[in-house]
Amino acid sequence: MRLKRFTPVQKAFHILLMLSFLVQAVTGTARMYIETSWGRALASPFGGYEGSLTVHKYVGLFMLLLFLCHMVYALFIVFAEKVGGEDALWFRFNDLKQFFAHLGWMFGGKAPRFERWGYWEKFDYWAVFWGMIVLGVTGLMLYDPLSTTAYFKGWSLNVALWVHRIEACLAMLHVFVIHFAIAHLRRHNFPMDRAMFAGDTDLEAASEERPAWMARLRSEGGLEERTVSDVPVIGLLISYVIGLSVVVFGIYLVVGGLMNANLVSW
Amino acid sequence: MQRTIITMALLIAGAFLALPCAAQEELAGADRYRMREASTGYYQEYEVMPSRGSPFVQWSGAKQPAITGGRGSVATFAVDAHAMVPNYKHQRCVSCHKETARNNRHTTRMNIACRQCHGQDPIAGINHYFSPLNPIRRHAMVCAKCHQGASGSFAMYVVHEPPPLMAGTAKSFPVLYWAVWIMVVIAVGTFALFLPHTGLWMLRELFSSKEKGGDA
């Protein structure tokens, strides 16, 4: 039995963000490492140094547009469907308590009873806002330097470029190492968590990790409408191919970046 | 008689008031045509000719004398900045200008040679009044070679960027120093928290008993 955690709209947002983030990571890394043969190999499918910049700019605009659409969608969800209480993604004091309870479990204690959203999922969700704001502002500053210097001094481009770089490295490492490890590579979800893809979440796995949510669903009577049978094999195959290839390529970017870091004049 | 005196006083006062008004001339401010500069490339007369006072403060002047083989910062004001360099003809730019050769994205990314901006011999110091790299006309005579429509503000991009994390940058480029340090602290702090957290989590899950593992 499978449990539906996300709507198709939310899955579409996630997969579009995933693909655009991957394109930005590849083109940005290619331009950062253009002095190395690895960077030039990464840039060659996009047309080299200049082609990567063009793709980077347009996909960046697409990401900003996607972010705005998500803001409209989130506001609609919050005000129209009256999402609140345990279903909301706001940080609460209980998340801090669960974080330390989770740490206690990691050292051998008792497992905490998570609700619908764990604290790490809330952090991942709001981290995208931080990244979009920092990368968006600095990215728009660097989009057309001539227009930017009509409003800012030229040395602000130096600052924007460095902030853009560091934030990009932070975002890439957080997604490709921490998010992939927690969401896909740990034993509970291995080899891939299909909550955001076809197939949804395993009912027994959700019962084990989110017992508070399952108990609330059973008491409120919403469990039956959320349970579905598994998808056909073709859906499973497509989900695993897309998800695992992104995971492998993300780890490849991290490893390649770390191996070639000393060859770049930063 | 009284009317005559009042009329004479008004005429004299009017004459004195008109004199300074006649001397006024509308001068374009440095920021007035900023947008037009970016779009058309036309420049004010004072931006290319040494006729009136410059609206640009020479921010690139050395604040304290730099000990460079006996030639102080006066070299940046000289018509030939390398006049007294021994064995000048057989040296490369990076032989002396080691620090400025680093962190130059124009060189490392676009393969721009030094002389493409600094010009041929004799290379005037960047603060020499007639130097192409003087901030008065840098945007028009140097940056606009590649960046069409470059403005004076655009030319304030620091091409020879100091290393952002070094302590000396806190004096030469404090905004860059603090911004980069803050971002580095945020990034390292995030990883210092979540990398051990994730590692412990994955390690603990290997030793936890469960009926079935993940999606099956």
Side-chain angles (χ1 to χ4, degrees), chain B residues 73-113:
Chain B
S73 62
V74 294
T76 62
F77 293 86
V79 67
D80 185 1
H82 309 93
M84 292 192 293
V85 174
N87 199 25
Y88 172 67
K89 288 183 178 179
H90 304 287
Q91 299 205 53
R92 300 166 63 228
C93 307
V94 294
S95 304
C96 299
H97 302 279
K98 292 186 174 62
E99 201 59 35
T100 51
R102 300 176 62 250
N103 290 346
N104 184 353
R105 257 170 232 103
H106 287 61
T107 298
T108 57
R109 302 303 171 88
M110 307 306 294
N111 288 321
I112 303 291

mmCIF file of all heavy atoms in Angstrom, chain B residues 73-113:
data_model
loop_
_atom_site.group_PDB
_atom_site.id
_atom_site.type_symbol
_atom_site.label_atom_id
_atom_site.label_comp_id
_atom_site.label_asym_id
_atom_site.label_seq_id
_atom_site.Cartn_x
_atom_site.Cartn_y
_atom_site.Cartn_z
ATOM 1 N N SER B 73 54.466 55.955 -4.593
ATOM 2 C CA SER B 73 53.225 56.059 -5.350
ATOM 3 C C SER B 73 53.256 57.187 -6.361
ATOM 4 O O SER B 73 52.289 57.364 -7.096
ATOM 5 C CB SER B 73 52.074 56.273 -4.376
ATOM 6 O OG SER B 73 52.265 57.472 -3.669
ATOM 7 N N VAL B 74 54.354 57.971 -6.389
ATOM 8 C CA VAL B 74 54.433 59.001 -7.420
ATOM 9 C C VAL B 74 54.467 58.379 -8.808
ATOM 10 O O VAL B 74 54.148 59.030 -9.797
ATOM 11 C CB VAL B 74 55.670 59.884 -7.206
ATOM 12 C CG1 VAL B 74 55.539 60.672 -5.924
ATOM 13 C CG2 VAL B 74 56.932 59.040 -7.175
ATOM 14 N N ALA B 75 54.838 57.096 -8.895
ATOM 15 C CA ALA B 75 54.866 56.464 -10.215
ATOM 16 C C ALA B 75 53.483 56.408 -10.831
ATOM 17 O O ALA B 75 53.344 56.423 -12.058
ATOM 18 C CB ALA B 75 55.448 55.061 -10.097
ATOM 19 N N THR B 76 52.440 56.349 -9.986
ATOM 20 C CA THR B 76 51.099 56.283 -10.559
ATOM 21 C C THR B 76 50.687 57.608 -11.183
ATOM 22 O O THR B 76 49.709 57.658 -11.914
ATOM 23 C CB THR B 76 50.079 55.888 -9.491
ATOM 24 O OG1 THR B 76 50.077 56.892 -8.474
ATOM 25 C CG2 THR B 76 50.441 54.556 -8.877
ATOM 26 N N PHE B 77 51.428 58.692 -10.875
ATOM 27 C CA PHE B 77 51.127 59.985 -11.478
ATOM 28 C C PHE B 77 52.088 60.326 -12.607
ATOM 29 O O PHE B 77 51.970 61.393 -13.213
ATOM 30 C CB PHE B 77 51.203 61.097 -10.423
ATOM 31 C CG PHE B 77 50.127 60.994 -9.379
ATOM 32 C CD1 PHE B 77 50.310 60.204 -8.259
ATOM 33 C CD2 PHE B 77 48.935 61.679 -9.522
ATOM 34 C CE1 PHE B 77 49.318 60.102 -7.294
ATOM 35 C CE2 PHE B 77 47.941 61.582 -8.559
ATOM 36 C CZ PHE B 77 48.133 60.797 -7.445
ATOM 37 N N ALA B 78 53.049 59.436 -12.898
ATOM 38 C CA ALA B 78 54.084 59.753 -13.871
ATOM 39 C C ALA B 78 53.582 59.466 -15.275
ATOM 40 O O ALA B 78 52.718 58.615 -15.486
ATOM 41 C CB ALA B 78 55.338 58.931 -13.592
ATOM 42 N N VAL B 79 54.166 60.208 -16.244
ATOM 43 C CA VAL B 79 53.805 59.946 -17.628
ATOM 44 C C VAL B 79 54.353 58.605 -18.085
ATOM 45 O O VAL B 79 53.795 57.955 -18.965
ATOM 46 C CB VAL B 79 54.297 61.095 -18.528
ATOM 47 C CG1 VAL B 79 55.819 61.127 -18.560
ATOM 48 C CG2 VAL B 79 53.740 60.961 -19.921
ATOM 49 N N ASP B 80 55.459 58.174 -17.496
ATOM 50 C CA ASP B 80 56.004 56.840 -17.759
ATOM 51 C C ASP B 80 56.235 56.187 -16.403
ATOM 52 O O ASP B 80 57.223 56.474 -15.726
ATOM 53 C CB ASP B 80 57.310 56.940 -18.552
ATOM 54 C CG ASP B 80 57.834 55.568 -18.943
ATOM 55 O OD1 ASP B 80 57.170 54.560 -18.612
ATOM 56 O OD2 ASP B 80 58.899 55.497 -19.568
ATOM 57 N N ALA B 81 55.328 55.296 -16.032
ATOM 58 C CA ALA B 81 55.394 54.728 -14.693
ATOM 59 C C ALA B 81 56.600 53.829 -14.506
ATOM 60 O O ALA B 81 56.996 53.557 -13.377
ATOM 61 C CB ALA B 81 54.118 53.947 -14.401
ATOM 62 N N HIS B 82 57.199 53.343 -15.592
ATOM 63 C CA HIS B 82 58.321 52.415 -15.490
ATOM 64 C C HIS B 82 59.619 53.069 -15.924
ATOM 65 O O HIS B 82 60.521 52.398 -16.425
ATOM 66 C CB HIS B 82 58.065 51.171 -16.350
ATOM 67 C CG HIS B 82 56.740 50.539 -16.113
ATOM 68 N ND1 HIS B 82 55.631 50.844 -16.863
ATOM 69 C CD2 HIS B 82 56.337 49.643 -15.189
ATOM 70 C CE1 HIS B 82 54.598 50.144 -16.418
ATOM 71 N NE2 HIS B 82 54.994 49.413 -15.404
ATOM 72 N N ALA B 83 59.731 54.379 -15.722
ATOM 73 C CA ALA B 83 60.883 55.086 -16.276
ATOM 74 C C ALA B 83 62.187 54.583 -15.680
ATOM 75 O O ALA B 83 63.181 54.437 -16.387
ATOM 76 C CB ALA B 83 60.731 56.578 -16.030
ATOM 77 N N MET B 84 62.214 54.326 -14.380
ATOM 78 C CA MET B 84 63.474 53.986 -13.726
ATOM 79 C C MET B 84 63.529 52.523 -13.310
ATOM 80 O O MET B 84 64.265 52.170 -12.396
ATOM 81 C CB MET B 84 63.672 54.876 -12.500
ATOM 82 C CG MET B 84 63.918 56.323 -12.865
ATOM 83 S SD MET B 84 64.479 57.268 -11.470
ATOM 84 C CE MET B 84 63.050 57.245 -10.429
ATOM 85 N N VAL B 85 62.778 51.664 -13.969
ATOM 86 C CA VAL B 85 62.840 50.243 -13.638
ATOM 87 C C VAL B 85 64.065 49.646 -14.315
ATOM 88 O O VAL B 85 64.209 49.757 -15.539
ATOM 89 C CB VAL B 85 61.560 49.528 -14.106
ATOM 90 C CG1 VAL B 85 61.684 48.035 -13.890
ATOM 91 C CG2 VAL B 85 60.368 50.081 -13.351
ATOM 92 N N PRO B 86 64.974 49.020 -13.561
ATOM 93 C CA PRO B 86 66.156 48.437 -14.221
ATOM 94 C C PRO B 86 65.769 47.221 -15.053
ATOM 95 O O PRO B 86 64.909 46.427 -14.678
ATOM 96 C CB PRO B 86 67.051 48.042 -13.037
ATOM 97 C CG PRO B 86 66.122 47.873 -11.897
ATOM 98 C CD PRO B 86 65.009 48.855 -12.108
ATOM 99 N N ASN B 87 66.417 47.114 -16.205
ATOM 100 C CA ASN B 87 66.230 45.978 -17.107
ATOM 101 C C ASN B 87 64.757 45.821 -17.481
ATOM 102 O O ASN B 87 64.224 44.716 -17.555
ATOM 103 C CB ASN B 87 66.744 44.691 -16.464
ATOM 104 C CG ASN B 87 66.990 43.620 -17.510
ATOM 105 O OD1 ASN B 87 67.233 43.920 -18.671
ATOM 106 N ND2 ASN B 87 66.920 42.381 -17.092
ATOM 107 N N TYR B 88 64.113 46.952 -17.750
ATOM 108 C CA TYR B 88 62.670 46.924 -17.956
ATOM 109 C C TYR B 88 62.286 46.140 -19.204
ATOM 110 O O TYR B 88 61.291 45.420 -19.214
ATOM 111 C CB TYR B 88 62.159 48.366 -18.048
ATOM 112 C CG TYR B 88 60.718 48.479 -18.460
ATOM 113 C CD1 TYR B 88 59.708 48.037 -17.624
ATOM 114 C CD2 TYR B 88 60.381 49.026 -19.693
ATOM 115 C CE1 TYR B 88 58.389 48.140 -18.006
ATOM 116 C CE2 TYR B 88 59.063 49.135 -20.073
ATOM 117 C CZ TYR B 88 58.078 48.689 -19.229
ATOM 118 O OH TYR B 88 56.778 48.792 -19.612
ATOM 119 N N LYS B 89 63.113 46.263 -20.268
ATOM 120 C CA LYS B 89 62.687 45.680 -21.537
ATOM 121 C C LYS B 89 62.595 44.168 -21.485
ATOM 122 O O LYS B 89 61.853 43.560 -22.257
ATOM 123 C CB LYS B 89 63.665 46.092 -22.637
ATOM 124 C CG LYS B 89 63.547 47.546 -23.028
ATOM 125 C CD LYS B 89 64.485 47.873 -24.179
ATOM 126 C CE LYS B 89 64.324 49.324 -24.602
ATOM 127 N NZ LYS B 89 65.247 49.670 -25.708
ATOM 128 N N HIS B 90 63.357 43.548 -20.597
ATOM 129 C CA HIS B 90 63.400 42.091 -20.571
ATOM 130 C C HIS B 90 62.585 41.501 -19.434
ATOM 131 O O HIS B 90 62.781 40.339 -19.091
ATOM 132 C CB HIS B 90 64.854 41.627 -20.459
ATOM 133 C CG HIS B 90 65.724 42.163 -21.543
ATOM 134 N ND1 HIS B 90 65.664 41.711 -22.832
ATOM 135 C CD2 HIS B 90 66.645 43.163 -21.533
ATOM 136 C CE1 HIS B 90 66.523 42.384 -23.577
ATOM 137 N NE2 HIS B 90 67.129 43.269 -22.819
ATOM 138 N N GLN B 91 61.692 42.282 -18.867
ATOM 139 C CA GLN B 91 60.889 41.769 -17.764
ATOM 140 C C GLN B 91 59.442 41.608 -18.216
ATOM 141 O O GLN B 91 59.007 42.220 -19.181
ATOM 142 C CB GLN B 91 60.940 42.733 -16.571
ATOM 143 C CG GLN B 91 62.337 42.935 -16.031
ATOM 144 C CD GLN B 91 62.296 43.338 -14.584
ATOM 145 O OE1 GLN B 91 61.675 42.686 -13.765
ATOM 146 N NE2 GLN B 91 62.982 44.416 -14.271
ATOM 147 N N ARG B 92 58.722 40.766 -17.481
ATOM 148 C CA ARG B 92 57.291 40.602 -17.714
ATOM 149 C C ARG B 92 56.511 41.402 -16.680
ATOM 150 O O ARG B 92 57.052 41.753 -15.629
ATOM 151 C CB ARG B 92 56.898 39.125 -17.610
ATOM 152 C CG ARG B 92 57.621 38.250 -18.615
ATOM 153 C CD ARG B 92 57.470 36.786 -18.260
ATOM 154 N NE ARG B 92 56.092 36.339 -18.303
ATOM 155 C CZ ARG B 92 55.526 35.629 -17.335
ATOM 156 N NH1 ARG B 92 56.209 35.305 -16.265
ATOM 157 N NH2 ARG B 92 54.277 35.242 -17.439
ATOM 158 N N CYS B 93 55.262 41.665 -16.974
ATOM 159 C CA CYS B 93 54.455 42.454 -16.036
ATOM 160 C C CYS B 93 54.391 41.776 -14.673
ATOM 161 O O CYS B 93 54.489 42.432 -13.631
ATOM 162 C CB CYS B 93 53.043 42.646 -16.574
ATOM 163 S SG CYS B 93 53.005 43.317 -18.225
ATOM 164 N N VAL B 94 54.237 40.439 -14.682
ATOM 165 C CA VAL B 94 54.065 39.746 -13.404
ATOM 166 C C VAL B 94 55.365 39.658 -12.632
ATOM 167 O O VAL B 94 55.373 39.207 -11.492
ATOM 168 C CB VAL B 94 53.499 38.335 -13.630
ATOM 169 C CG1 VAL B 94 52.103 38.417 -14.194
ATOM 170 C CG2 VAL B 94 54.393 37.535 -14.552
ATOM 171 N N SER B 95 56.494 40.098 -13.237
ATOM 172 C CA SER B 95 57.742 40.080 -12.470
ATOM 173 C C SER B 95 57.651 40.999 -11.261
ATOM 174 O O SER B 95 58.188 40.689 -10.202
ATOM 175 C CB SER B 95 58.906 40.507 -13.369
ATOM 176 O OG SER B 95 58.972 39.676 -14.498
ATOM 177 N N CYS B 96 57.001 42.140 -11.437
ATOM 178 C CA CYS B 96 56.853 43.069 -10.312
ATOM 179 C C CYS B 96 55.430 43.101 -9.787
ATOM 180 O O CYS B 96 55.223 43.123 -8.581
ATOM 181 C CB CYS B 96 57.260 44.481 -10.737
ATOM 182 S SG CYS B 96 58.948 44.567 -11.265
ATOM 183 N N HIS B 97 54.459 43.109 -10.700
ATOM 184 C CA HIS B 97 53.062 43.245 -10.284
ATOM 185 C C HIS B 97 52.488 41.863 -9.998
ATOM 186 O O HIS B 97 51.580 41.397 -10.682
ATOM 187 C CB HIS B 97 52.252 43.948 -11.373
ATOM 188 C CG HIS B 97 52.774 45.298 -11.718
ATOM 189 N ND1 HIS B 97 52.494 46.409 -10.963
ATOM 190 C CD2 HIS B 97 53.582 45.708 -12.721
ATOM 191 C CE1 HIS B 97 53.093 47.449 -11.496
ATOM 192 N NE2 HIS B 97 53.758 47.062 -12.561
ATOM 193 N N LYS B 98 53.030 41.207 -8.958
ATOM 194 C CA LYS B 98 52.587 39.843 -8.672
ATOM 195 C C LYS B 98 51.165 39.831 -8.125
ATOM 196 O O LYS B 98 50.330 39.018 -8.514
ATOM 197 C CB LYS B 98 53.526 39.197 -7.656
ATOM 198 C CG LYS B 98 54.935 38.938 -8.188
ATOM 199 C CD LYS B 98 55.751 38.162 -7.175
ATOM 200 C CE LYS B 98 57.108 37.768 -7.757
ATOM 201 N NZ LYS B 98 57.917 38.939 -8.116
ATOM 202 N N GLU B 99 50.893 40.752 -7.215
ATOM 203 C CA GLU B 99 49.592 40.711 -6.537
ATOM 204 C C GLU B 99 48.465 41.066 -7.487
ATOM 205 O O GLU B 99 47.398 40.449 -7.473
ATOM 206 C CB GLU B 99 49.597 41.666 -5.344
ATOM 207 C CG GLU B 99 48.556 41.357 -4.311
ATOM 208 C CD GLU B 99 48.714 39.958 -3.742
ATOM 209 O OE1 GLU B 99 49.857 39.488 -3.608
ATOM 210 O OE2 GLU B 99 47.685 39.332 -3.458
ATOM 211 N N THR B 100 48.700 42.069 -8.336
ATOM 212 C CA THR B 100 47.624 42.474 -9.245
ATOM 213 C C THR B 100 47.423 41.463 -10.359
ATOM 214 O O THR B 100 46.385 41.472 -11.007
ATOM 215 C CB THR B 100 47.943 43.838 -9.846
ATOM 216 O OG1 THR B 100 49.262 43.803 -10.388
ATOM 217 C CG2 THR B 100 47.862 44.913 -8.794
ATOM 218 N N ALA B 101 48.403 40.597 -10.596
ATOM 219 C CA ALA B 101 48.216 39.591 -11.649
ATOM 220 C C ALA B 101 47.264 38.494 -11.215
ATOM 221 O O ALA B 101 46.701 37.795 -12.053
ATOM 222 C CB ALA B 101 49.565 38.985 -12.026
ATOM 223 N N ARG B 102 47.086 38.328 -9.894
ATOM 224 C CA ARG B 102 46.161 37.314 -9.425
ATOM 225 C C ARG B 102 44.747 37.880 -9.395
ATOM 226 O O ARG B 102 44.547 39.076 -9.414
ATOM 227 C CB ARG B 102 46.556 36.853 -8.020
ATOM 228 C CG ARG B 102 47.952 36.262 -7.935
ATOM 229 C CD ARG B 102 48.309 35.908 -6.504
ATOM 230 N NE ARG B 102 47.423 34.913 -5.941
ATOM 231 C CZ ARG B 102 46.526 35.166 -4.992
ATOM 232 N NH1 ARG B 102 46.407 36.378 -4.524
ATOM 233 N NH2 ARG B 102 45.764 34.215 -4.529
ATOM 234 N N ASN B 103 43.789 36.967 -9.306
ATOM 235 C CA ASN B 103 42.386 37.355 -9.148
ATOM 236 C C ASN B 103 41.949 38.356 -10.207
ATOM 237 O O ASN B 103 41.210 39.287 -9.922
ATOM 238 C CB ASN B 103 42.143 37.955 -7.763
ATOM 239 C CG ASN B 103 42.238 36.910 -6.690
ATOM 240 O OD1 ASN B 103 42.220 35.724 -6.964
ATOM 241 N ND2 ASN B 103 42.374 37.349 -5.469
ATOM 242 N N ASN B 104 42.424 38.171 -11.408
ATOM 243 C CA ASN B 104 42.020 39.047 -12.495
ATOM 244 C C ASN B 104 41.226 38.199 -13.465
ATOM 245 O O ASN B 104 41.797 37.455 -14.264
ATOM 246 C CB ASN B 104 43.248 39.652 -13.169
ATOM 247 C CG ASN B 104 42.873 40.646 -14.232
ATOM 248 O OD1 ASN B 104 41.704 40.801 -14.570
ATOM 249 N ND2 ASN B 104 43.852 41.327 -14.771
ATOM 250 N N ARG B 105 39.896 38.290 -13.380
ATOM 251 C CA ARG B 105 39.064 37.450 -14.243
ATOM 252 C C ARG B 105 39.203 37.816 -15.700
ATOM 253 O O ARG B 105 38.942 36.994 -16.579
ATOM 254 C CB ARG B 105 37.606 37.574 -13.794
ATOM 255 C CG ARG B 105 37.161 36.374 -13.009
ATOM 256 C CD ARG B 105 35.848 36.561 -12.360
ATOM 257 N NE ARG B 105 35.954 36.239 -10.949
ATOM 258 C CZ ARG B 105 36.024 37.137 -9.995
ATOM 259 N NH1 ARG B 105 35.960 38.410 -10.292
ATOM 260 N NH2 ARG B 105 36.146 36.772 -8.740
ATOM 261 N N HIS B 106 39.624 39.043 -15.982
ATOM 262 C CA HIS B 106 39.844 39.403 -17.377
ATOM 263 C C HIS B 106 40.965 38.576 -17.981
ATOM 264 O O HIS B 106 40.926 38.226 -19.161
ATOM 265 C CB HIS B 106 40.188 40.888 -17.484
ATOM 266 C CG HIS B 106 39.019 41.788 -17.249
ATOM 267 N ND1 HIS B 106 38.333 41.818 -16.070
ATOM 268 C CD2 HIS B 106 38.405 42.686 -18.056
ATOM 269 C CE1 HIS B 106 37.346 42.698 -16.161
ATOM 270 N NE2 HIS B 106 37.370 43.239 -17.349
ATOM 271 N N THR B 107 41.971 38.246 -17.166
ATOM 272 C CA THR B 107 43.093 37.468 -17.682
ATOM 273 C C THR B 107 42.796 35.977 -17.641
ATOM 274 O O THR B 107 43.006 35.270 -18.626
ATOM 275 C CB THR B 107 44.343 37.773 -16.850
ATOM 276 O OG1 THR B 107 44.641 39.156 -16.991
ATOM 277 C CG2 THR B 107 45.526 36.962 -17.321
ATOM 278 N N THR B 108 42.272 35.496 -16.514
ATOM 279 C CA THR B 108 42.109 34.055 -16.363
ATOM 280 C C THR B 108 40.929 33.531 -17.168
ATOM 281 O O THR B 108 40.938 32.379 -17.579
ATOM 282 C CB THR B 108 41.900 33.703 -14.893
ATOM 283 O OG1 THR B 108 40.760 34.429 -14.401
ATOM 284 C CG2 THR B 108 43.113 34.094 -14.072
ATOM 285 N N ARG B 109 39.903 34.342 -17.388
ATOM 286 C CA ARG B 109 38.721 33.837 -18.079
ATOM 287 C C ARG B 109 38.643 34.304 -19.528
ATOM 288 O O ARG B 109 38.184 33.566 -20.387
ATOM 289 C CB ARG B 109 37.447 34.270 -17.338
ATOM 290 C CG ARG B 109 37.403 33.811 -15.903
ATOM 291 C CD ARG B 109 37.545 32.310 -15.813
ATOM 292 N NE ARG B 109 37.719 31.843 -14.454
ATOM 293 C CZ ARG B 109 36.721 31.547 -13.638
ATOM 294 N NH1 ARG B 109 35.488 31.709 -14.034
ATOM 295 N NH2 ARG B 109 36.961 31.114 -12.427
ATOM 296 N N MET B 110 39.051 35.535 -19.809
ATOM 297 C CA MET B 110 38.870 36.079 -21.149
ATOM 298 C C MET B 110 40.184 36.247 -21.895
ATOM 299 O O MET B 110 40.182 36.745 -23.011
ATOM 300 C CB MET B 110 38.163 37.445 -21.084
ATOM 301 C CG MET B 110 36.877 37.453 -20.301
ATOM 302 S SD MET B 110 35.693 36.227 -20.856
ATOM 303 C CE MET B 110 35.311 36.827 -22.475
ATOM 304 N N ASN B 111 41.300 35.841 -21.290
ATOM 305 C CA ASN B 111 42.607 35.918 -21.954
ATOM 306 C C ASN B 111 42.934 37.330 -22.414
ATOM 307 O O ASN B 111 43.478 37.521 -23.500
ATOM 308 C CB ASN B 111 42.652 34.955 -23.148
ATOM 309 C CG ASN B 111 42.736 33.518 -22.691
ATOM 310 O OD1 ASN B 111 43.416 33.212 -21.728
ATOM 311 N ND2 ASN B 111 42.036 32.644 -23.375
ATOM 312 N N ILE B 112 42.613 38.298 -21.599
ATOM 313 C CA ILE B 112 42.977 39.684 -21.914
ATOM 314 C C ILE B 112 44.403 39.902 -21.435
ATOM 315 O O ILE B 112 44.723 39.625 -20.280
ATOM 316 C CB ILE B 112 42.020 40.665 -21.205
ATOM 317 C CG1 ILE B 112 40.574 40.372 -21.596
ATOM 318 C CG2 ILE B 112 42.374 42.095 -21.526
ATOM 319 C CD1 ILE B 112 40.241 40.686 -23.008
ATOM 320 N N ALA B 113 45.261 40.408 -22.326
ATOM 321 C CA ALA B 113 46.633 40.712 -21.927
ATOM 322 C C ALA B 113 46.670 42.053 -21.202
ATOM 323 O O ALA B 113 45.777 42.891 -21.363
ATOM 324 C CB ALA B 113 47.544 40.748 -23.151
#
